[in-house]
């Protein structure tokens, strides 16, 4: 039985993608997100899963203590860092997909594919989810 060349090519591309998984995982796990508050008094660094790995607070912040402002700066810088690393990880993942799959997905409305974009939902930051929950309560 002869296999349709389109399916054969797609299978070969998927096999190549599978062989690149270890390298892709390594690249993804080496990503960091770094963000600063607008006044550069707070620096936040997050790892590839959005977990806080470093927090630097300029000591000048404590000259005029304002806990609410400091909290807001830390949270915003954290959100920015998470968004940055999430975008990079998504780009790395997208590079690994056969171009035809990306084209098909881009052309089809989500409802026609039979599922919501669960990956995008999974990649939403915990801070965004928490803020939504707080708004509802």
């Amino acid at each position: 039985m002869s296999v349709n060349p389109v399916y054969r090519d797609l299978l070969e591309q998927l096999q190549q993608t599978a062989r690149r998984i270890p390298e892709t995982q390594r690249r993804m796990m080496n990503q960091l997100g770094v963000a600063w508050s607008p006044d550069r008094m707070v620096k936040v660094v997050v790892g590839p899963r959005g977990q806080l790995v470093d927090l630097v607070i300029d000591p000048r912040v404590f000259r005029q203590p304002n806990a609410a402002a400091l909290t807001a700066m830390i949270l915003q810088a954290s959100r920015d860092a998470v968004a940055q690393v999430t975008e990079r990880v998504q780009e790395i993942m997208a590079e690994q997909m056969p171009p035809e799959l990306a084209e098909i997905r881009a052309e089809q409305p989500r409802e026609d594919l039979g599922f919501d974009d669960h990956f995008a939902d999974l990649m939403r930051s915990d801070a965004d989810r928490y803020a939504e929950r707080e708004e509802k309560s």
Side-chain angles (χ1 to χ4, degrees), residues 32-49:
L32 293 175
V34 179
W36 291 84
S37 62
D39 61 5
R40 312 274 302 165
M41 296 292 228
V42 173
K43 175 185 172 188
V44 172
V45 181
V46 299
R49 292 180 292 253

Side-chain angles (χ1 to χ4, degrees), residues 24-126:
T24 300
Q25 288 176 326
R26 186 194 60 73
R27 286 181 57 210
M28 289 170 56
M29 295 310 293
N30 283 328
Q31 298 302 307
L32 293 175
V34 179
W36 291 84
S37 62
D39 61 5
R40 312 274 302 165
M41 296 292 228
V42 173
K43 175 185 172 188
V44 172
V45 181
V46 299
R49 292 180 292 253
Q51 297 171 341
L52 184 66
V53 296
D54 194 17
L55 173 64
V56 178
I57 301 173
D58 189 304
R60 293 176 291 170
V61 166
F62 301 109
R63 291 182 186 158
Q64 295 179 330
N66 181 337
L70 180 57
T71 299
M73 286 190 291
I74 292 170
L75 289 176
Q76 187 57 55
S78 296
R79 286 184 194 103
D80 293 346
V82 167
Q84 184 186 96
V85 77
T86 299
E87 183 176 330
R88 283 195 204 132
V89 167
Q90 287 177 336
E91 288 170 1
I92 290 169
M93 290 179 63
E95 291 170 7
Q96 303 311 309
M97 294 297 134
E100 292 82 0
L101 289 179
E103 290 171 16
I104 290 169
R105 187 163 187 201
E107 291 173 3
Q108 293 293 323
R110 285 183 221 269
E111 56 274 4
D112 288 354
L113 294 174
F115 59 89
D116 292 326
D117 194 346
H118 297 294
F119 179 74
D121 185 53
L122 285 172
M123 297 306 288
R124 286 179 45 234
S125 76
D126 294 339

